[in-house]
Amino acid sequence: MATNEMIENALTIDVEDYFQVAALAEAVRYDDWSSMEYRVEANTDRILAVFDQAGVKATFFTLGWVAERSPELVRRIAAHGHEVASHGYSHQLIYNQTPDVFEEETRRSKGILEDILGTPITGYRAASYSITNRSRWALDILAEQGFTWDSSIFPVRHDRYGMPGTPRWPHRLKTDRGYELAEFPLSTFKLPGYTLPIAGGGYFRLFPYWFSRFGLGSINRQDRPFVFYLHPWEVDPGQPRLDVKWLSRFRHYNNLDICEQRLSRLLAHFRFTTMSRVLKNEGILASGSDQLGSGSAVGVA
C-alpha cells in the first residue's frame, strides 16, 4: 500500500548519553555521571552526518546537563540548520520530582540553551516521556516558563510512561490551570484492542524494519504526520555495557549494531522536517513560533 509522499513527518533526536537513560539508572547514579565515559558528542556528530547526507532537518531535544558541558555541540546542531529544543536538565522521571524541583530544572535547562544560542527555546520533551496523569502539573509549569509546544505524551500503557486514551494526533491541549500548548504525542499503531508504540527508539530496534515502516506508513496513509525519535547512543554499538537486569539490558542494547543502517533507510522512505514545521503545517502552532538555530531555513528530504 502506497504512502502519502506529500506528508512531512517530525524527525527528532533526544540528545543524552548512554549512562543517563532511565533503564540503566539501577547501575549508574546521577552523582556518578561525571565519571562515566562521555560519548554523546561523537555520537551526535555521527547523526548530524547522516542527516546531512540525507538532506533532512530535525529537532534535537537537548539535555541541559549535556549542553552545559558541550556548548559547541549545541552550536553545531544549530549551525547545521536543525531546531534545538529542551529535554530538561537531569533526565529524571518527572513524576518522581516535586513541582518545585521540576520548575527549577526546567528554568535552568531552558536558560542554558538560550544563553548558548541567543534565541528563545519554545519546545520541550520530558525525560522518558514522564508527563503522565501523575505529573500533569508539569504542563502548567512548561507554559509558565514560556514553552509553546511539547512532545512528551505517549498515548499508551507502559510500565514507565504513558497516558492511555489521550489523543493520538497533534493537537492543542489545555492544562489544568487553563494554559494552552501545542502537543505532538508520540506516534502509535492501532491494533484491535491495543495501541502499539511505533515512534522509534527501542521499538525501532526491536521490531523488524518492515514492520516499523509499515506502521509509520499507516499513519501517513491516514493523511497524518508521525513523529520519529532516536538517541545518539542508539547508533553506538561500542558503548560500555552496564550490569543491569535482563529487561533493561534487552531494551537498551538490542540491535545497536544495525540501528544506523535502519535510520538511513527510513530517511529515504519518508519525508522529514522539524517538529515546529510539522505543527505549523497542521495549523496547531502559529507561524513564527519555531526557533531554528542560526536563523537557518528548514529543509526536507
Side-chain angles (χ1 to χ4, degrees), residues 7-172:
I7 292 181
E8 293 181 315
N9 303 289
L11 179 60
T12 68
I13 299 295
D14 294 353
V15 182
E16 63 198 52
D17 219 331
Y18 68 97
F19 54 82
Q20 297 168 323
V21 178
L24 304 185
E26 60 188 277
V28 185
R29 297 179 306 143
Y30 175 76
D31 292 344
D32 295 330
W33 283 6
S34 59
S35 65
M36 302 295 291
E37 183 181 349
Y38 192 64
R39 300 173 70 91
V40 68
E41 282 201 25
N43 290 329
T44 304
D45 283 336
R46 189 170 174 177
I47 287 176
L48 287 172
V50 171
F51 289 176
D52 280 351
Q53 185 173 10
V56 300
K57 303 302 178 189
T59 298
F60 286 70
F61 293 95
T62 306
L63 201 65
W65 190 94
V66 170
E68 219 170 32
R69 285 153 182 78
S70 302
E72 288 304 318
L73 175 63
V74 178
R75 294 187 184 101
R76 283 199 299 278
I77 292 169
H80 282 253
H82 301 291
E83 179 178 49
V84 175
S86 175
H87 197 35
Y89 182 80
S90 65
H91 209 264
Q92 305 304 300
L93 299 173
I94 292 174
Y95 48 73
N96 289 339
Q97 294 184 311
T98 66
D100 286 345
V101 169
F102 175 73
E103 181 175 0
E104 189 279 328
E105 288 205 352
T106 301
R107 182 186 302 110
R108 180 180 182 184
S109 57
K110 190 174 192 288
I112 291 168
L113 293 172
E114 290 178 341
D115 286 346
I116 292 171
L117 296 177
T119 58
I121 299 297
T122 58
Y124 181 86
R125 175 174 285 164
S128 302
Y129 310 104
S130 55
I131 294 183
T132 68
N133 286 323
R134 293 167 55 192
S135 51
R136 274 189 59 90
W137 46 261
L139 296 169
D140 288 296
I141 293 173
L142 292 179
E144 290 166 353
Q145 292 297 316
F147 291 98
T148 60
W149 61 271
D150 174 69
S151 181
S152 300
I153 295 177
F154 225 139
V156 298
R157 297 186 186 278
H158 189 274
D159 60 342
R160 187 172 290 118
Y161 51 74
M163 273 192 179
T166 53
R168 296 175 58 221
W169 312 121
H171 61 282
R172 291 196 68 81

